[in-house]
Amino acid sequence: MQSVKQPSICILIPYFGAWPFWMSIFMESCRYNSSIDWILYTDCGTPDNCPGNVRVVDITYSDYCRKISIFLNLKFMPENSYKLCDIKPALGYIHADELVGYDFWGYSDIDLVYGDLRAYFSNERLQSKDLFSTTGRRVSGHFCLMRNTEEMRSAFMRAKDWRQVLSSNQHAAFDEKHFSKIFIRHKNSLSIIRTMAAKFDSWLTKAEFNETYVTPNARIPWVDGTYNFPTEWYWTNGIVTNNLTGGHGFPYFHFMVWKSKWSKSAMTPMLDLGNMRSEAVFTERGITVV
């Protein structure tokens, strides 16, 4: 029986300033997802431990902002690079030439470590929708996949006042708020109302919103409905687990909440994977390799 070809995936990440101390383990988690490609647009240089499926495009922040301005036909030159979060849904449009030949494209933050992405984003799952969010009630800003079609690359233009929002110097959470409204509405209404709305707007059926519990310690309760979150997360040879769910693998672990505690400590040296024998352990105190 002939096997079904895996859809090709490319993840786009603009990042400027300085690589965080955990960048080596982020790169290692990309390496273990060898059938997926990443493109990083940055002024930070090529990270140590950079695998072959990660391409680094050396570009200054000002030049990258000019590129955005040209492709979106608006003025984009914010002082704070955090504004780039608003541009995430437009990355497929801005970098369309570099996505030729890929079936899916996505965006991602780097304050996370990937597990087995293909195990979660299976061929069957990717056939079902055009956008895949790893949170249940909005488009996930830290990771999202979209089908690489002209319709989906330009979908952000359907958001109300998108040009004004992206032109503003203020971060507006465009990726999670404005963009989400294209695909999910009436989320607090009765199911019959949501069903009726979808009959009149096909965009309400294009996306999957699935809570994967990859950002613990935040406002979303844990799998069991409580706020008793794992106290340890493990990255072991490309698999992400924790001390509460046993061998259940997660697509990634997003340590957004814990990293703020790490940054309050003394200057943390870049994580050295040279002595890593089997896994990296994440706690609210930091990351250790064992």
Side-chain angles (χ1 to χ4, degrees), residues 112-288:
L112 50 82
V113 59
Y114 300 113
D116 186 348
L117 291 175
R118 287 289 187 181
Y120 179 78
F121 294 105
S122 63
N123 293 5
E124 182 180 11
R125 170 166 265 140
L126 292 179
Q127 289 172 9
S128 64
K129 298 289 183 179
D130 292 328
L131 181 146
F132 299 88
S133 171
T134 52
T135 58
R137 295 175 64 81
R138 64 179 183 274
V139 173
S140 44
H142 49 271
F143 190 94
C144 182
L145 282 187
M146 282 175 267
R147 195 173 300 279
N148 188 26
T149 61
E150 183 178 355
E151 180 182 59
M152 294 307 297
R153 290 192 301 270
S154 60
F156 69 96
M157 295 181 181
R158 299 180 63 87
K160 183 180 179 181
D161 299 326
W162 70 269
R163 193 179 297 277
Q164 291 88 336
V165 175
L166 297 185
S167 297
S168 169
N169 284 327
Q170 301 300 313
H171 173 250
F174 179 84
D175 51 340
E176 295 188 339
K177 293 182 180 179
H178 304 74
F179 190 56
S180 293
K181 291 179 181 178
I182 298 171
F183 305 97
I184 185 169
R185 296 180 206 152
H186 314 289
K187 61 184 179 181
N188 296 320
S189 302
L190 296 174
S191 60
I192 189 172
I193 295 177
R194 298 195 301 270
T195 300
M196 290 299 296
K199 290 183 178 180
F200 294 95
D201 186 351
S202 63
W203 282 85
L204 301 181
T205 65
K206 290 182 180 294
E208 176 190 85
F209 295 90
N210 185 39
E211 185 57 57
T212 52
Y213 303 97
V214 291
T215 309
N217 303 86
R219 290 175 292 177
I220 301 297
W222 184 238
V223 177
D224 60 2
T226 72
Y227 285 85
N228 298 320
F229 298 107
T231 56
E232 292 185 351
W233 284 78
Y234 315 111
W235 182 90
T236 309
N237 297 326
I239 304 298
V240 169
T241 58
N242 59 60
N243 64 338
L244 283 187
T245 56
H248 173 75
F250 289 75
Y252 58 91
F253 166 44
H254 182 213
F255 42 82
M256 175 188 70
V257 177
W258 281 352
K259 74 173 184 180
S260 63
K261 299 180 181 180
W262 300 342
S263 65
K264 293 176 183 178
S265 62
M267 288 294 291
T268 307
M270 295 297 281
L271 189 65
D272 182 7
L273 302 185
N275 296 321
M276 187 170 72
R277 296 186 298 275
S278 61
E279 67 183 8
V281 180
F282 298 76
T283 71
E284 67 176 5
R285 296 182 301 277
I287 307 171
T288 57

